[in-house]
Amino acid sequence: MDHSAPRRARVRAPELTGKGGWLNTGGQPYSLADLRGRIVILDFWTFCCINCLHVLDELRELEEKHRDTVVVIGVHSPKFVHEAEHQAVVDAVERYAVEHPVLDDPELATWKQYAVRAWPTLVVIDPEGYVVAQHAGEGHVHAIERLVGELEAEHSAKGTLRRGDGPYVAPEPEPTVLRFPGKALSLPSGNFLVSDTTRHQLVELAADGESVVRRIGQGSRGLTDGYPDRVRFQEPQGLALLPDGSVVVADTVNHALRRFDPESGRTTTLAGTGLQWMQGEATAGPGCEVKLSSPWDVAWWQGKVWIAMAGVHQLWAYDPQDGTVAVTAGTTNEGLVDGPAGEAWFAQPSGLAATPERLWLADSETSALRWVEPDGSVHTAVGTGLFDFGHRDGAAGQALLQHPLGVTALPDGSVAVSDTYNHALRRYDPATGEVTTLTTDLREPSAAVLAGDDIVVVESARHRLTRLRLPDEAVKVAEVAHRTQREATEVAPGRLQLDVIFQAPAGQKLDTRYGPSTRLLVSATPPELLRSGEGAGTDLSRALELDPAVPEGVLHVSAMAASCDDDPDNAYPACHVHQQDWGVPVRLTEAGADRLPLVLAGMDA
């Protein structure tokens, strides 16, 4: 019998470099040589990206289970200008409870060395310093866990595995009243209810916005109903007051909607199972039987609770009459497309505000302010797409925001936008079509709520509520426009071979029980970039035809593959869906490549 190690492609891993240095290591820098003998998992992430946050949560169990053999290292690779700021990365590491070392790489040096093309991407390096697998998107941790088991056995036998404590050093906790609060609302009593996101609690503050009246929740991760000392949340965000005086809570990392009754103090679960929704699962049904995906905000509109479902780029709604949830707008594709509800594309909707005529939404990844009409049609007031952002006032058609997370309806029919990565509060007036800046001296504002003639801003990265007069005159700022720091991929005009690489994890095979197990969807911005090759299909390779007359654009590629345990004796094998959306900026040049490989899982031979 052959007991030799499995044959797999190996590439020497490039060094880890990043101008921002190392976090969570007690100030100690690390090189790959320092990590030799350990299995290293690089997690290329950026803190704006919901799929990256999903992967952080997926990795927690694997990190715990293989603590003495595996070192996870986050490589922070910014999309937005604000994310290249070192303090913002420090904040994000605490905010999302990242319990492994993080390399701050503001110039994407390590990202380029590893030829990464998507957030999130996971790269596995064996104890001898070779790359043995790469995975883009979420849903891969079960495959990586299997690979880790193989590597542990193989390198134990060879004597090349080194067990022991990892390099993680926990930072000192800070004693603030709130910690990275997410959203707030005014209670009928005049008090404020705040989602204290990083502490997994709701906090009721007095009308001064500072004095704690009570805390709701144990303060540890979990999904438990009950009274304030027993209930548990997991990174709660949005809050909405219902006509009956109760509050709906978007319990983001529990993928659930909760109901808090301020009178009795009791919390119950309205919707969600505690598990994340995946492609192909039910999109309507009884609330507690349908999975949700990172609900980020909620609003009461047209007799229902509307949900900004950031994790799948859609809007859903919960109907309290019959206790059901259902998708109301969006396709799950990420981008900015207006039109009828069922055809619109969103990009991580994160803030909602209702008026009788419109449901306003902050669509964070496209740095956009959008709205839904009562007939379900979706429109954009500010924003152009996934890669353009900045701080520019003026006519809405050319104004720019940077990853806004909140929107607040104002009494005069205009809206205030919590322009999170610009540290500003902006205003859009539908009557004039103009965007102005109300104030700039904020730190990651994530929501705002009216209180009389004032507006109270959730200043998330200063851990407080900040009260401002609603100014008559807007602040003037110098205009700035940015594009994402990712370099465009140079491709040749004409025929381009698109190959999505997917290798089923060891011990699994493609799941063909219900027809094809793979899906590929391709489109472009502008649409004229693609002469042919757009649309849906089941083959993961496709010949595209690019129009030489369009010098640059973005290819949107969405791929999915389903694999199941390859065990003929098991009638109900465990199955897994692997999926990723890529937005690939391309520039057409005669010397450019005629093949575009995108790794979903495995290695590009």
Side-chain angles (χ1 to χ4, degrees), residues 268-516:
T268 51
T269 299
L270 296 176
T273 66
L275 297 173
Q276 184 189 334
W277 183 92
M278 290 295 187
Q279 285 290 355
E281 294 183 318
T283 55
C288 291
E289 293 173 21
V290 177
K291 294 178 187 173
L292 309 180
S293 181
S294 297
W296 207 275
D297 204 5
V298 277
W300 177 252
W301 191 54
Q302 298 193 315
K304 292 181 180 174
V305 176
W306 285 63
I307 309 161
M309 202 71 81
V312 281
H313 319 298
Q314 287 180 315
L315 300 180
W316 289 42
Y318 169 79
D319 186 344
Q321 290 293 314
D322 58 11
T324 57
V325 287
V327 174
T328 49
T331 63
T332 76
N333 291 331
E334 185 179 12
L336 194 151
V337 177
D338 288 339
E343 295 167 24
W345 290 23
F346 300 99
Q348 226 169 287
S350 301
L352 297 174
T355 67
E357 307 77 40
R358 291 181 175 183
L359 180 70
W360 292 97
L361 69 115
D363 208 22
S364 61
E365 279 295 298
T366 49
S367 298
L369 171 66
R370 304 175 73 186
W371 81 87
V372 183
E373 295 275 345
D375 66 5
S377 59
V378 178
H379 306 263
T380 298
V382 181
T384 59
L386 286 165
F387 296 99
D388 293 287
F389 54 91
H391 193 145
R392 185 193 281 156
D393 285 336
Q398 53 92 57
L400 293 171
L401 307 167
Q402 187 181 180
H403 196 82
L405 289 178
V407 58
T408 309
L410 300 179
D412 63 358
S414 68
V415 289
V417 178
S418 295
D419 191 5
T420 311
Y421 289 3
N422 280 329
H423 308 303
L425 195 65
R426 312 284 292 281
R427 176 176 175 263
Y428 168 69
D429 185 352
T432 62
E434 292 286 310
V435 175
T436 51
T437 298
L438 295 174
T439 187
T440 52
D441 186 27
L442 300 168
R443 184 77 192 164
E444 290 193 22
S446 54
V449 56
L450 290 174
D453 293 334
D454 295 341
I455 189 162
V456 175
V457 180
V458 180
E459 215 180 339
S460 189
R462 281 200 184 115
H463 318 293
R464 69 186 190 194
L465 300 188
T466 301
R467 185 181 289 263
L468 305 166
R469 296 294 303 188
L470 268 175
D472 302 328
E473 283 305 307
V475 178
K476 272 273 174 250
V477 288
E479 42 181 73
V480 195
H482 296 295
R483 297 211 75 189
T484 173
Q485 282 195 308
R486 277 177 77 183
E487 287 173 7
T489 299
E490 298 203 336
V491 294
R495 188 193 152 92
L496 176 69
Q497 179 62 34
L498 171 67
D499 290 326
V500 172
I501 290 112
F502 178 75
Q503 289 147 8
Q508 294 193 359
K509 61 176 182 179
L510 286 173
D511 174 18
T512 52
R513 290 170 304 165
Y514 307 108

Side-chain angles (χ1 to χ4, degrees), residues 118 168 192 305:
Y168 171 65
F192 295 99
V305 176

Side-chain angles (χ1 to χ4, degrees), residues 57 220-224 232-236 250-258 271-276 292-295:
D57 288 316
S220 57
R221 290 177 187 276
L223 179 55
T224 325
R232 288 192 298 168
F233 301 97
Q234 202 172 181
E235 295 183 30
D251 193 5
T252 305
V253 178
N254 275 328
H255 311 295
L257 283 197
R258 316 289 290 281
T273 66
L275 297 173
Q276 184 189 334
L292 309 180
S293 181
S294 297

Side-chain angles (χ1 to χ4, degrees), residues 9-204:
R10 300 204 316 170
V11 177
R12 176 62 73 186
E15 194 46 84
L16 305 176
T17 55
K19 252 194 175 151
W22 289 82
L23 304 176
N24 280 357
T25 63
Q28 175 76 27
Y30 281 87
S31 70
L32 280 175
D34 300 325
L35 302 167
R36 199 61 46 81
R38 313 304 286 271
I39 299 161
V40 177
I41 300 172
L42 302 182
D43 175 17
F44 288 87
W45 70 299
T46 186
F47 64 77
C48 69
C49 146
I50 191 70
N51 312 86
C52 300
L53 303 186
H54 289 167
V55 167
L56 284 176
D57 288 316
E58 284 181 14
L59 283 168
R60 290 184 203 281
E61 202 177 322
L62 181 141
E63 290 181 81
E64 190 52 52
K65 201 165 153 189
H66 298 272
R67 190 169 284 284
D68 66 336
T69 56
V70 170
V71 175
V72 176
I73 289 177
V75 182
H76 190 270
S77 315
K79 171 183 170 180
F80 289 99
V81 166
H82 168 58
E83 293 175 310
E85 222 184 279
H86 183 69
Q87 185 55 45
V89 182
V90 172
D91 286 346
V93 165
E94 183 192 344
R95 180 193 295 263
Y96 297 117
V98 178
E99 293 179 356
H100 51 244
V102 171
L103 175 64
D104 179 13
D105 182 17
E107 294 176 351
L108 303 182
T110 299
W111 163 287
K112 288 171 194 160
Q113 283 293 309
Y114 280 82
V116 174
R117 293 187 190 273
W119 295 276
T121 290
L122 295 167
V123 174
V124 183
I125 301 171
D126 74 11
E128 294 177 290
Y130 289 92
V131 174
V132 290
Q134 186 169 328
H135 300 265
E138 40 184 306
H140 298 291
V141 169
H142 70 281
I144 291 173
E145 171 124 42
R146 191 152 192 156
L147 176 57
V148 163
E150 288 175 13
L151 291 171
E152 284 175 343
E154 177 186 334
H155 289 273
S156 264
K158 280 172 77 172
T160 46
L161 186 70
R162 183 165 59 84
R163 293 176 183 270
D165 288 338
Y168 171 65
V169 178
E172 284 296 309
E174 299 267 344
T176 51
V177 171
L178 301 172
R179 205 71 195 156
F180 298 105
K183 307 283 185 186
L185 60 74
S186 270
L187 292 168
S189 63
N191 289 352
F192 295 99
L193 189 67
V194 184
S195 52
D196 195 12
T197 306
T198 297
R199 295 222 180 102
H200 316 296
Q201 290 178 322
L202 307 181
V203 179
E204 185 176 339

